[in-house]
Amino acid sequence: MMRNMRQIFALCFILMLLVAGCSSEVERYTKKYDKSDYGSLQAKQTQKGKMISFGTNHIDDNQHINNSVQFSKKISTALSSIAGVADARVFLTDKNAYVAVVLDNTGRGYAKSNKYITQDTSTDSNIAPNTITNNPFKNFISVNDNTQLTDPFKQTIADKVFELAPEVEEVHTSANIKFMFYMDEFAKVAWSNESIDTYLKQFNILVQHQFANGMIMPTSLNDYRNK
């Protein structure tokens, strides 16, 4: 009888842990609507006079030639709590942080104009799969032109990254949906406990194309690995 009671108690304890873990993950994707408006006058005034610490586009230099790269689950999770960010993939290199995000309606004003905001449910199947791993959203809000992300939005993301990774020189953020699919492929490599450095050349091609007008088109990492 006592043994049975212990087994029941142990089972209940395990179930409680599982429920708690699920609840925290669900809460990550069920944020309440936030009144944060990155395009508001107040947001712009808050940024006025503050040193801009996120990365700018670098043309024909070595800022995006990285020597190492690793996925940061900690920062990716932290950014998903920011108003307007549905999910994030964050990679740290020897000098930069690269952030890919999909957006949601828990924030607003992340684009300089609504005409730059799009909702996607798919992308070119020859480039990347049309799902994002571990992301429960069927519709993705994106701003595919990086220059149209507002400075307060990029600064908010950069501030969180610098808080958790102060050694980073620059933070480069994109809400381009295809870029997010690419970055998700690199995240899968990390989740399988494989070194992303193995694919550093492909990673550099991707970020140079996204942030420095690189002329070489990135290809699906999944296709590259299967060759």
Side-chain angles (χ1 to χ4, degrees):
M1 181 68 176
M2 183 62 69
R3 181 179 180 182
N4 290 339
M5 289 295 291
R6 288 176 178 173
Q7 290 176 334
I8 293 172
F9 178 79
L11 180 61
C12 290
F13 181 71
I14 293 172
L15 289 173
M16 288 173 63
L17 290 176
L18 289 174
V19 170
C22 291
S23 297
S24 62
E25 193 64 20
V26 168
E27 288 173 1
R28 175 181 175 186
Y29 296 113
T30 55
K31 296 178 294 185
K32 294 181 180 180
Y33 178 75
D34 193 302
K35 293 183 179 179
S36 294
D37 186 349
Y38 301 104
S40 69
L41 179 61
Q42 181 180 1
K44 293 176 182 177
Q45 289 175 336
T46 300
Q47 297 295 320
K48 190 175 181 180
K50 180 177 182 179
M51 183 179 69
I52 300 300
S53 59
F54 54 80
T56 57
N57 285 350
H58 292 266
I59 310 300
D60 297 327
D61 69 9
N62 295 322
Q63 187 64 31
H64 298 292
I65 300 178
N66 303 285
N67 296 314
S68 64
V69 59
Q70 60 181 332
F71 174 69
S72 176
K73 178 181 178 181
K74 179 180 179 180
I75 302 178
S76 299
T77 301
L79 291 185
S80 69
S81 66
I82 290 177
V85 177
D87 209 355
R89 301 286 181 268
V90 180
F91 292 82
L92 303 178
T93 72
D94 51 302
K95 49 192 169 184
N96 299 318
Y98 293 97
V99 179
V101 296
V102 284
L103 308 170
D104 62 27
N105 61 5
T106 61
R108 52 188 172 180
Y110 27 63
K112 296 177 182 178
S113 171
N114 287 337
K115 71 179 182 179
Y116 294 104
I117 299 174
T118 59
Q119 273 192 282
D120 293 294
T121 57
S122 64
T123 188
D124 187 343
S125 60
N126 293 321
I127 295 177
N130 59 0
T131 59
I132 295 176
T133 309
N134 296 340
N135 191 310
F137 298 98
K138 294 182 180 179
N139 296 309
F140 306 110
I141 301 175
S142 60
V143 178
N144 292 327
D145 184 345
N146 293 335
T147 65
Q148 297 306 316
L149 290 175
T150 58
D151 285 356
F153 178 65
K154 290 188 288 186
Q155 188 67 58
T156 300
I157 288 178
D159 287 345
K160 177 58 69 173
V161 173
F162 284 124
E163 175 188 333
L164 299 175
E167 71 281 3
V168 166
E169 293 179 11
E170 295 186 351
V171 178
H172 297 272
T173 300
S174 173
N176 181 293
I177 191 65
K178 288 186 178 180
F179 182 67
M180 179 58 159
F181 284 119
Y182 283 123
M183 294 288 265
D184 194 57
E185 289 188 330
F186 282 101
K188 291 175 185 176
V189 173
W191 293 331
S192 65
N193 294 320
E194 185 179 353
S195 173
I196 306 174
D197 281 339
T198 305
Y199 309 102
L200 181 61
K201 180 179 178 180
Q202 283 67 41
F203 184 86
N204 282 339
I205 289 173
L206 173 62
V207 296
Q208 286 166 15
H209 182 267
Q210 186 70 16
F211 298 107
N213 294 338
M215 300 303 294
I216 302 176
M217 290 291 292
T219 57
S220 168
L221 182 61
N222 186 54
D223 291 344
Y224 177 84
R225 297 176 78 190
N226 290 331
K227 285 183 179 180

